[in-house]
């Protein structure tokens, strides 16, 4: 069980590295002047590669979490609350993919300020999830 939990945490950390950095690229993309095609293309390429890289990491993090849950009999309100937050994170990940598609097609209209707030969502989720799984308050 400990090997599974170790790899669960490894993939969680790797997934979150991307969930923290991808919206930061969006902040920069939203600030690129219209005549800076080269900078926009460079940032778009970075975002596309990062999104493709972190998607399997997220799937593995969640898959190993479910293995821990159903394979080792964990129970408790903390696990249900954690899973609800993780479903929210998975939706956030998919939303990042849709926002990336908007940037790629030139349809993105949101400001860099909006993306700065958007960037804080994974920070808040990580904080609550780690308290739930380590402290198990309920
Ligand atoms: C549906 C997805 C997930 C499920 C079902 C799940 C389930 C679990 C379970 C059953 C454990 C073992 C708890 C223990 O040993 O006390 C665990 C450990 C852990 N999970 Fe998840 N997890 C999921 C996703 C995540 C995510 C997204 C994060 C990160 C924010 C995360 C962070 C952790 C951490 C840090 C531990 C180690 C806790 C400890 O050793 O005390 N998990 N997870």
């Amino acid at each position: 069980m400990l090997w599974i939990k170790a790899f669960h945490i490894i993939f969680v950390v790797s997934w979150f590295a991307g969930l923290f950095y991808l919206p930061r690229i969006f902040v920069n993309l939203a600030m690129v002047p219209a005549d800076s095609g080269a900078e926009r293309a460079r940032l778009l390429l970075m975002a596309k590669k990062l999104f493709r890289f972190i998607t399997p990491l997220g799937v593995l993090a969640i898959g190993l979490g479910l293995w821990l849950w159903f394979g080792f009999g964990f129970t408790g309100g903390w696990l249900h609350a954690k899973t609800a937050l993780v479903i929210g994170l998975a939706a956030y990940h998919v939303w990042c993919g849709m926002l990336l598609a908007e940037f790629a097609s030139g349809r993105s209209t949101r400001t860099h300020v909006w993306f700065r707030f958007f960037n804080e969502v994974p920070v808040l989720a990580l904080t609550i999830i780690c308290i739930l799984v380590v402290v198990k308050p309920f």
Side-chain angles (χ1 to χ4, degrees), residues 1-6 8 63-75 78-79:
M1 193 271 282
L2 291 180
W3 279 94
I4 296 166
K5 188 157 71 167
H8 175 55
L64 290 168
L66 294 170
W67 187 355
L68 285 166
W69 180 1
F70 297 111
F72 299 92
F74 283 96
T75 57
W78 65 272
L79 191 49

Side-chain angles (χ1 to χ4, degrees), residues 74-93:
F74 283 96
T75 57
W78 65 272
L79 191 49
H80 301 136
K82 179 183 175 182
T83 304
L85 281 166
V86 174
I87 291 168
L89 274 174
Y92 180 88
H93 183 111

